[in-house]
């Protein structure tokens, strides 16, 4: 039986692992088939404090992992299929590892950016296709960018990208935006943003010299056209990775785990959530790391209180 199992190895899970390991709590960290989380899909990270020259996302995650190992965290590879949170110790069914039990759990499984699923999209991730303007916008200084989506994220990303790009074109599949009025107004007032509404994305087109643009269908006329761009930012939402919880933890309507304000506590005692799986607002490596630290401290206090309770009962 483990004192704590941490599920997920993005900045949130690894920071929780560093803190718990350093407090001698010997956490077991379950890393999935894409260890390191979303940061490993970006190239350089330039906004994580402490790295004035920037650092590769994969290197940052590898460093955090080593730091956790140095203090005694154990890592095992597997995919958590289900959990039983009806009684303690909690049980996890892990593909590749079998059944594991833990007194407490930290959930840091992140959120996955949604993709359009069109040809050319997956092949060009990191080569002009991105799902994170904050991470990659800087690389498109003076370039032409397309942002796909009609929600708040698309409006926000488009606005942010106008700081770098020569032109930002918002492409949305309907003629009506989903974004809130204030975000729409802000984007519409921005002279650097042009609009291609009622266009269904069909294909990301790339050649030897890099990305050429996005092929779309005009839903009114049925005609297809290639919208030229050096970069395509897909901003059509995220999906929190909470499916394995089977509805045992309270979430909001989009599936993000609800934590008690100012803590990492879920509705289940001894189960904590940190990082993007409980945050659809900030979604930054540094905020994820900060919430991972909170989860470790909350978890440590819980285990100490439980140990104290059990000792009192024995006496
Ligand atoms: P969202 O509201 O679900 O919007 C996703 C957009 O992408 C929709 O316009 C949708 O089109 C489009 N879309 C979905 N699948 C597509 C596909 N396969 N191809 C092309 N387009 C596709 O997601 P979001 O914008 O990420 O926002 C998520 C939540 O976070 C919202 O509650 C939002 O308010 C919040 N948020 C808030 C802020 C802020 O307040 N600063 C910033 C970002 C996000 P349809 O409209 O046709 O369905």
């Amino acid at each position: 039986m483990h004192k704590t199992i941490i599920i997920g190895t993005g900045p949130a899970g690894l920071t929780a692992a560093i803190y718990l390991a350093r407090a001698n709590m010997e956490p077991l960290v379950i890393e999935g088939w894409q260890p390191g989380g979303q940061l490993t899909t970006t190239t350089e990270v330039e906004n994580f404090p402490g790295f004035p020259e920037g650092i590769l996302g994969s290197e940052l995650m590898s460093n955090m992992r080593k730091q956790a190992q140095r203090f005694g965290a154990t890592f095992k590879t597997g995919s958590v299929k289900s959990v039983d949170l009806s009684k303690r110790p909690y049980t996890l069914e892990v593909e590749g590892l079998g059944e594991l039990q833990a007194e407490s759990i930290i959930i840091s499984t992140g959120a996955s950016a949604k993709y359009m699923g069109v040809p050319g999209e997956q092949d060009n991730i990191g080569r002009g296709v991105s799902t994170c303007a904050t991470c990659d916008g800087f690389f498109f200084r003076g370039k032409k960018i397309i942002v796909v989506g009609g929600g708040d994220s698309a409006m926000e990303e488009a606005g942010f990208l106008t700081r770098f790009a020569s032109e930002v074109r918002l492409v949305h599949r309907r003629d009506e935006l989903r974004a809130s009025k204030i975000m729409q107004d802000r984007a519409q007032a921005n002279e650097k943003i042009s609009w291609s509404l009622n266009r269904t994305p069909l294909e990301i087109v790339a050649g030897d010299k890099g990305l050429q643009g996005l092929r779309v269908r005009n839903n009114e006329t049925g005609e297809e056209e290639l919208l030229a761009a050096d970069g395509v930012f897909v901003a059509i939402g995220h999906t929190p990775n909470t499916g394995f919880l089977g509805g045992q933890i309270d979430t909001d309507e989009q599936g993000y785990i609800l934590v008690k304000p100012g803590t990492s506590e879920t509705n289940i005692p001894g189960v904590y959530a940190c990082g993007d799986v409980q945050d659809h607002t900030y979604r930054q490596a540094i905020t994820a790391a900060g919430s991972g630290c909170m989860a470790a401290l909350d978890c440590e206090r819980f285990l100490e209180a439980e140990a104290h309770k059990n000792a009192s009962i024995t006496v």
Side-chain angles (χ1 to χ4, degrees), residues 149-216:
D152 282 343
S153 291
M155 303 303 118
E156 193 170 66
E157 303 250 304
F160 178 78
L161 288 165
T162 58
R163 295 183 199 178
F164 311 101
S166 58
E167 182 194 320
V168 175
R169 176 169 293 277
L170 250 160
V171 176
H172 179 41
R173 62 186 178 184
R174 291 186 297 136
D175 58 4
E176 206 175 286
L177 297 170
R178 181 180 292 276
S180 56
K181 173 95 175 56
I182 186 166
M183 301 288 276
Q184 287 190 33
D185 289 350
R186 224 175 268 166
Q188 273 155 359
N190 191 326
E191 286 173 359
K192 270 178 127 183
I193 299 178
S194 52
W195 302 80
S196 291
L197 299 182
N198 224 349
R199 304 288 198 284
T200 299
L202 298 175
E203 182 188 3
I204 304 248
V205 181
D208 296 341
K209 290 186 186 141
L211 215 76
Q212 290 173 2
L214 178 69
R215 195 161 59 79
V216 296

Side-chain angles (χ1 to χ4, degrees), residues 262-278:
T263 78
S264 62
E265 292 171 26
T266 69
N267 60 308
I268 309 275
V271 179
Y272 303 90
C274 51
D276 286 11
V277 75
Q278 51 84 55

Side-chain angles (χ1 to χ4, degrees), residues 114-116 148-154 156 172-174 178 183 201 235-238 254 280 283:
K114 287 186 196 159
Y115 285 95
M116 299 178 284
V148 180
D152 282 343
S153 291
E156 193 170 66
H172 179 41
R173 62 186 178 184
R174 291 186 297 136
R178 181 180 292 276
M183 301 288 276
I236 61 173
H238 283 76
Q254 294 168 58
H280 57 72
R283 297 199 302 243

